[in-house]
Amino acid sequence: HGLVEEAALTAAEAASEALVMGLRLAEGIDVRALEVRFDHPIVDQRAVDRLVGYGLLVREGTRLATTGPGRLLLDSILAEIAA
């Protein structure tokens, strides 16, 4: 048997996990819904605006997703946009 360890996440940690996992999906995330759910900002809007301008992210309303080229740089993108 392996050991099982559980630790409760803070709102900031849970929001960060949702951002990381959600941007791996083709449909991306609903930023506003996650901010309401966790009562915590999850993205730096200036960084998002810059990466949208570079064509690495796409924003449709409150949804945010990576583009094809953005998926290749996802780790770097997450490091830049995480609030």
Side-chain angles (χ1 to χ4, degrees), residues 2-81:
L3 296 177
V4 176
E5 187 175 319
E6 290 185 30
L9 298 177
T10 66
E13 291 168 333
S16 179
E17 286 291 319
L19 176 66
V20 168
M21 298 307 290
L23 283 182
R24 294 188 189 288
L25 303 173
E27 63 268 14
I29 59 169
D30 184 328
V31 174
R32 182 69 187 132
L34 290 177
E35 290 177 339
V36 168
R37 178 178 171 190
F38 296 110
D39 192 30
H40 189 276
I42 64 168
V43 296
D44 175 343
Q45 288 300 326
R46 286 184 289 169
V48 168
D49 291 343
R50 187 169 32 80
L51 295 172
V52 166
Y54 293 155
L56 300 173
L57 294 174
V58 63
R59 184 177 20 214
E60 293 179 8
T62 62
R63 290 201 78 69
L64 185 65
T66 54
T67 62
R71 279 186 212 96
L72 299 174
L73 300 170
L74 184 58
D75 290 340
S76 296
I77 288 171
L78 289 167
E80 287 201 40
I81 68 171

